[in-house]
Amino acid sequence: MNLLGSYIPSSSPLHRMDPTVRIIAFIMLFSSILVASGSLVGYVLSSAVIVLLYFIACVPLIPVIRSFWRFRVFFVTVFLMNAFFQPSPDPYFSWWIVTFSSYGIMTGMKMVMSVLLLTSLSALLTATATPLAITEGLRTLFHPLSFFHIPVDEASSIISMAISLIPVLASESNDILLSARARGAVPEGKNAKEKAISLVPLAVPLFLAAFRRADMLSDAMLARGYSGGRMMKHIHISFCRREAVSLLLAIAILLSAIALKGVSN
């Protein structure tokens, strides 16, 4: 089960938050993870906050963690790029642009951990907000840019549709991979290099499937009379005690991350 980018209906406090306030709170949480990254205490506290948010939102965390296995090659690549190409004054060995050191290993582990935490938080955002709610929140948040003749509505719609298509394309890629394995196009039990080479031809049908989905979505929007421009005339932000408490907690977490960063330095 792939929950990355999927919306999970519920009546939790996170689901009932105002879209704009929710996006602002999540931006603060993203910032706190980036600020706190680099120390073990920061990673532990960030992980605890994310686990608590998943519990409050009634969203299962285990399927999200299992979904990360699909991107294991990406995480390994991020780790190796930092472990072998990070400059260090005291390397284990160094040759040309390759530098392998304990500092590079630690930097790679920190980078992978930060990406995992940020991806988990992003998955929680899409799991607690529909694409329409994300579009509305982004449009309200970016509304001041419309005074500079920036197409805020179109940009918000594009971001929202891109997020909603993530699970669709993930399912499409899985179907393509299964059909290729059934025909023997993807070798089983071979080394990583042969598997990587065999996966290159699968990129063509995946891109074709993505363009086909985009063309279908375009036809559906045109059939419903969408022609760009302003979608809503008025901006309404529902701000009550739930939103106030959420913002205060997000600010407190961000300030705590900044304080922790200052102490560690």
Side-chain angles (χ1 to χ4, degrees):
M1 183 180 181
N2 183 18
L3 294 184
L4 299 182
S6 302
Y7 172 70
I8 302 177
S10 179
S11 59
S12 69
L14 286 179
H15 285 78
R16 290 183 278 112
M17 281 182 61
D18 180 81
T20 306
V21 177
R22 173 169 34 207
I23 291 177
I24 294 175
F26 270 86
I27 290 176
M28 292 182 182
L29 293 177
F30 288 137
S31 303
S32 64
I33 292 177
L34 294 175
V35 171
S37 62
S39 64
L40 179 60
V41 177
Y43 287 126
V44 171
L45 294 178
S46 299
S47 302
V49 170
I50 291 176
V51 171
L52 179 61
L53 289 176
Y54 270 86
F55 176 77
I56 295 174
C58 300
V59 175
L61 181 59
I62 299 301
V64 175
I65 297 176
R66 290 175 180 171
S67 299
F68 291 146
W69 183 249
R70 298 172 179 263
F71 308 97
R72 58 189 180 275
V73 177
F74 168 74
F75 292 124
V76 172
T77 303
V78 170
F79 172 76
L80 294 178
M81 290 295 291
N82 285 274
F84 286 93
F85 297 97
Q86 192 73 26
S88 175
D90 188 22
Y92 294 133
F93 72 87
S94 178
W95 175 76
W96 194 33
I97 62 173
V98 178
T99 302
F100 183 68
S101 62
S102 58
Y103 175 74
I105 294 175
M106 293 301 299
T107 303
M109 295 176 62
K110 292 176 181 178
M111 186 66 66
V112 171
M113 191 63 186
S114 298
V115 173
L116 287 173
L117 292 175
L118 291 173
T119 307
S120 301
L121 196 58
S122 301
L124 181 61
L125 174 61
T126 56
T128 56
T130 62
L132 182 60
I134 295 177
T135 303
E136 180 183 352
L138 291 175
R139 190 192 75 86
T140 305
L141 192 62
F142 296 154
H143 178 71
L145 298 177
S146 62
F147 295 104
F148 300 97
H149 303 287
I150 296 178
V152 173
D153 293 331
E154 288 82 353
S156 303
S157 300
I158 291 173
I159 295 174
S160 176
M161 286 185 289
I163 294 174
S164 62
L165 284 177
I166 291 176
V168 177
L169 292 180
S171 177
E172 192 82 27
S173 63
N174 187 52
D175 294 341
I176 294 174
L177 182 59
L178 291 177
S179 61
R181 284 177 176 173
R183 296 192 301 271
V186 179
E188 295 287 350
K190 300 296 181 67
N191 56 53
K193 181 179 179 180
E194 292 180 352
K195 284 187 176 182
I197 295 175
S198 64
L199 290 176
V200 173
L202 301 183
V204 176
L206 182 59
F207 274 107
L208 292 177
F211 286 129
R212 184 175 64 251
R213 294 278 184 177
D215 188 57
M216 294 170 57
L217 181 60
S218 175
D219 292 339
M221 295 177 68
L222 289 176
R224 287 164 174 79
Y226 178 80
S227 59
R230 187 170 299 279
M231 293 184 298
M232 291 173 282
K233 298 295 183 181
H234 304 286
I235 294 178
H236 175 71
I237 299 178
S238 176
F239 196 87
C240 59
R241 185 173 62 180
R242 178 177 57 247
E243 281 72 22
V245 172
S246 301
L247 281 181
L248 289 177
L249 290 176
I251 294 173
I253 293 173
L254 179 58
L255 293 178
S256 301
I258 296 175
L260 181 63
K261 185 71 172 181
V263 172
S264 61
N265 290 337

